[in-house]
Amino acid sequence: MIMDRLYDKAKKRGPVCLGLDTDLSYLPACIAKEKISTGEQLFRFNKEIIDQTKDLVACYKVQIAYYEALGMEGMEAYRQTMAYIRQQGEISIGDVKRGDIAATAQKYAKGHFEGDFETDIITVNGYMGEDAISPFYPYLKEKGLFVLLRTSNKSAVDLQDVDAGGQKVFLHMGDLIATWGKAFMGDSGFSAIGAVVGLTYPEEFELLAQTYPNMFFLVPGYGAQGGTGKDLARVLKKSSCAVVNSSRGLITAHKGKSDDWDFAQYVRTATFTMKEDIVSWL
Amino acid sequence: MIMDRLYDKAKKRGPVCLGLDTDLSYLPACIAKEKISTGEQLFRFNKEIIDQTKDLVACYKVQIAYYEALGMEGMEAYRQTMAYIRQQGEISIGDVKRGDIAATAQKYAKGHFEGDFETDIITVNGYMGEDAISPFYPYLKEKGLFVLLRTSNKSAVDLQDVDAGGQKVFLHMGDLIATWGKAFMGDSGFSAIGAVVGLTYPEEFELLAQTYPNMFFLVPGYGAQGGTGKDLARVLKKSSCAVVNSSRGLITAHKGKSDDWDFAQYVRTATFTMKEDIVSWL
C-alpha cells in the first residue's frame, strides 16, 4: 500500500517531498542552450535533480500546472518525469488537484493512475463530495490520494474558515476525508486517502493531526509558503505521518551560482539543508 | 467580453451547450476503423459534430478528463478540438475545474488561456478562495470563468449543503463569486466570472438566479443529470443568463443507429430536440 511505502521512506530518509514545479526560467544554461525540444529540456533538468536527490527525499511532487502551461511539450515532459520517478522505484505525487464526479472522475483516475501520466498518488479536491473521490476507490490498493483539507494560502479562509455549526468548513472536509478513508487502511495505520494541510498555522495543524490520527498529511508549508523546520518538527514529533514539500526553494538553489551540469549539486545541498533543518528538531 | 458573446449566442440560437466528453466507445465504425492515431480519431469525431451542430448551439464544453484519460494522444485531440472550435468563431468552454493558487494558478491561466490548449472560458474550483481565482483576472477582458457553486451530483450535499450560520456553504461560495465578479462586468450585465449550478433542485436554482442577477450560469443539468426542459425554462424565463449542457445524451445519439458518416446527423437531431424541448417552454 502506497502510504505504507511513503511512511517507510519518510522514516528512513526524512520527510522531504521535493517539488518539481519546473519553470523554464530555472533551467541552467547548459540545458537551455541544448538543441532539443523544450519538453526534453524540462525533463533533463528534472532527471538530473532526481538522480542527485533520491537518497535524501521521501517522494517527489510534480505540479502539473507548470507543464500544462507549456502545452503539448509540457505534457510530454510531465509524462517522462512521472515515468522516470517510478522507474527509479521512487514515489511520485501528481499534484493535479482534480475534482469532478462519476464518469468524469473515472476518466481522471484512468488518466493519472494508468497510462502515460501514471503516478502513485494524486492530489484531489473534494468540494463536490464523495462522488469526486469514490471513482478512485478501485485503485486504492496500490495508489493513494491527498484530498485538499486546509490549504496554506492567505485566502484559504474565504471558504475553509467559514463557521459551520461551531466547526469550520475545513473540519467538515476533514471529517469527510476521515470517513472515506476508513475502508483503505494500510499496515502502518494510515489510510490510502490522506490530506493536504498547510502549515501557516501550526496550532491548527496539531489539532488536525490529533483529530485524524490515521490521516497521512502532505504539507506544502516549507520555505516559500512560510513554515520553518522547528514548526514542522513540533507537529512531526506527535504524528510522523507527514511529508513536507518544498519546490522553488530547492530547484532554484543553483540560480546565480551555476549554469553548468553541477547545478543539481546545489539542489542537492539545499535539499540536504532542508532535511537537516527539520530532522535536527525532532 | 466573452459573457456578452455567450449571452448573444444563447439568445439567438437557444441555450444549448454541447458537451464533447468524447469516449472512444462513442466512435462510429467509419472513424474507428480508419488507420489514423487515436487522437486523430477523437478529433475527427468532434470536428464532424461541430460542423453539423454549430448553428444550433450557444457553445461547446469539452471535458478535459476524457482526454487526459488517453494520455498524450488524448491531449493532442483536446488541443485540436479547442483550436477548431475557436477557428469556427464558436465559443469553447474548457471544463477543467482547476483550482490552485498564486504562481500555480498563473500557470493554469497560461495553459488554458494561451498556447496549445487555449479556450474562451474555463471552469474552476474556488475551495482555496480568491487566490485560486485572482491569477485569472488579467485575462478577463477577453476570457471567462465558471466557478463551481452548487453542483448537481448526489454527494454535492456532503460539503456544499453544510449549514454555515443559517446559510449553506454553497451560498457562501456564491457570495464570494459575486464579489470577485464585480470588477469584470460586461455590457449585457453579466460578469466574466460566472458559476456552475446544477439543476437537481430547480427551486434552489431559482433562488440563486434571483440572488445573483449578474451571474451567468453554466448548468450541467439536462438529460443524464436529470433536469427537464420545463424545469429549465422556468428558470430561464426569469434570468436568461444560462447555458445548459448535455454531453452523452447528444454525442451518443447515433449509437445503435448509424456507424457511418451520417452519425453526426443523429447528433444534430438530438441537439435540435433538446433545444426545442427547452425553447418551447419559454
Side-chain angles (χ1 to χ4, degrees), chain B residues 11-28:
Chain B
K11 220 172 158 183
K12 221 173 283 172
R13 301 183 189 164
V16 174
C17 168
L18 192 152
L20 292 164
D21 306 6
T22 305
D23 189 90
L24 284 177
S25 67
Y26 304 166
L27 302 182

Side-chain angles (χ1 to χ4, degrees), chain A residues 23 68 97 100 107 112, chain B residues 23 68 97 100 107 112:
Chain A
D23 189 90
E68 280 182 40
K97 296 191 178 67
D100 215 306
K107 294 293 184 184
H112 296 280
Chain B
D23 189 90
E68 281 182 39
K97 296 192 179 65
D100 215 307
K107 294 293 183 183
H112 296 279

